[in-house]
Amino acid sequence: MFSYRHAFHAGNHADVLKHAILIHTLDYFNRKDAPYWVIDTHAGAGLYQLDADWSAKNAEHDGGIARLWDKTDLPDLLADYVARIKQYNTDDRLRYYPGSPWLTLDALRDKDRLRLFELHPTESDVLVRNLEKRGRGPLRQTTIYAADGFEGVKSLLPPPTRRGLVLIDPSYEDKRDYRRAFNAVKEGVKRFATGTYAVWYPLVQRVEAGELARQLPHLPVKSWLHATLTVQKPAADGFGLHGSGMFLVNPPWTLHQALKTAMPYLARELAMDDRGGFTLEYRENS
């Protein structure tokens, strides 16, 4: 259903939703002086060349970041996101796309830390090589684990800073990933109740995807936000994703308002047919 190589999908509509939210969340973390950790359970390679073999095969970025590239009326959340991507494309030509580890490193201050898990051996090796090119500062801040992020995250919670973000973004090729993603958040909040958890998941014709979306709001947490973006009607053969969702536990209080303007814009600009749309829900539990 999906390729396990992040490069196949770099910069697509799902990345737009996920990374725009990630950037906003990290900027919010930086409002306070106290240090924090970011733990990424499925890191990928870090940086992708969009005209190279893996990314160019399906050119999914054409339906994602490319549609926003030259827009002059972007809502603030999306303007911040596009500006960050443009930092990697100095000639204003869209050739490179940074994944979540790179976008996180751009936001981190010297005192903050990044912990990356990547189980796929090829991706993990490329991630290490790419990180070495970023220089001594990012190398000092970052630890890479060639291991299962679902299991590895347990040993890192709570982080010593008592501030942190856990990003859970598996491929979901294995249908067990849906249950494992839910359990990772469930177990995480037991260890680190005040942490922020961000779960990305695909909108696909799989029972497990619907179950994950229904179960997450019932976790015993202080607050949560759930956003979904649909770009097309489901395929007749049941393959491929027609959208994606982001579920955040303990989200920044600013995020809901920012998404109120960003989500309608994304639904309009990234729609591939008349089924484009979005949902947005925020809840505070007493």
Side-chain angles (χ1 to χ4, degrees), residues 150-227:
F150 286 129
E151 292 298 322
V153 68
K154 299 176 184 178
S155 65
L156 300 181
L157 297 178
T161 56
R162 295 304 193 272
R163 291 186 76 211
L165 166 67
V166 178
L167 176 62
I168 300 171
D169 174 28
S171 69
Y172 296 98
E173 280 197 312
D174 185 338
K175 66 181 181 180
R176 293 173 297 180
D177 284 355
Y178 295 94
R179 170 55 59 178
R180 299 188 76 195
F182 175 77
N183 287 338
V185 182
K186 181 180 178 181
E187 295 300 317
V189 297
K190 291 179 181 178
R191 292 174 167 83
F192 182 37
T194 58
T196 297
Y197 300 81
V199 181
W200 175 87
Y201 68 94
L203 296 182
V204 291
Q205 293 177 282
R206 255 187 179 175
V207 173
E208 294 82 4
E211 288 179 347
L212 176 61
R214 288 189 294 270
Q215 291 170 339
L216 285 168
H218 295 290
L219 288 168
V221 298
K222 182 178 179 181
S223 62
W224 55 262
L225 181 147
H226 190 191

Side-chain angles (χ1 to χ4, degrees), residues 65-82:
I65 178 62
R67 293 196 179 190
L68 307 180
W69 195 248
D70 295 318
K71 297 292 184 182
T72 58
D73 61 342
L74 294 167
D76 289 345
L77 180 138
L78 298 177
D80 291 343
Y81 159 72
V82 173

